Amino acid sequence: MYVEIGCRVLLGTVLLAAAVGKVSGRDAYREFTRSVRDMGYRPAGPLAAAVVAAEFTAVVLLAVIPLAGLLSSAALLLAFTLAVATNLRRGGATCRCFGRTAVPLGRHHVWRNAFLVGCAIAGALAPAGPVRPGEAVVAVAGGLLTGVLVVMTDELRYLFGTSGRT
């Protein structure tokens, strides 16, 4: 049960940060749409809108219908992983995963998304049971901290100019 809670909070944190970052302003959304186009996906506008809607939907499902949220998160992140891998084979593009910063796509995006898919699957497969408040707080804190660290990796790569190819 605590694995499920931690995974839901982790995924909710990452997907909420991604969606909010993309719609945090007209420029952020325009740049995200441009990054979708630069990755070779057309029509970029409707696809960008669908991505943001899917991220917000997954966050709501994680909060309201946990299993549906975990499965939709896994499917969404798997699609992102395949899109990144395909673009890396084509020569790469820029990622605006969290809206504000432009980071060159790299293998770290594949590994990050694979980790998140694994978390979604682990959360979906976690056994149910009674929840004690103290342990639940630890699970929430662990999921939140891990989610913030996942989001910050792109921010730090942007700030310190590290290559997206590692």
Side-chain angles (χ1 to χ4, degrees), residues 3 6 19 26 28 42 52 59 77-78 85 94-95 104 110 122 125 132 149-150 164:
V3 169
R26 191 175 271 166
R42 306 275 190 297
V52 172
V59 171
L77 289 157
L78 184 58
T94 300
C95 172
V110 174
L125 296 176
R132 290 183 280 199
L149 290 172
V150 166

Side-chain angles (χ1 to χ4, degrees), residues 1 3-5 7-9 11 15 57-76 117 119-128:
M1 181 49 102
V3 169
E4 177 199 331
I5 292 169
C7 290
R8 287 170 52 203
V9 171
L11 294 163
L15 292 171
T57 299
V59 171
V60 170
L61 288 172
L62 284 163
V64 179
I65 308 170
L67 183 58
L70 290 162
L71 295 176
S72 65
S73 297
L76 183 59
V117 169
C119 290
I121 293 168
L125 296 176

Side-chain angles (χ1 to χ4, degrees), residues 22 29 32-33 36 43-58 76 80:
K22 291 172 183 131
Y29 187 72
F32 170 62
T33 303
V36 170
L47 183 57
V51 165
V52 172
E55 289 170 338
F56 276 123
T57 299
L76 183 59
F80 292 164

Side-chain angles (χ1 to χ4, degrees), residues 96-150:
R96 289 213 180 246
C97 304
F98 299 103
R100 297 179 339 140
T101 56
V103 178
L105 284 175
R107 289 186 302 264
H108 69 279
H109 288 97
V110 174
W111 288 111
R112 175 196 64 204
N113 290 346
F115 165 73
L116 294 170
V117 169
C119 290
I121 293 168
L125 296 176
V131 177
R132 290 183 280 199
E135 286 87 344
V137 167
V138 171
V140 168
L144 184 59
L145 176 61
T146 305
V148 167
L149 290 172
V150 166

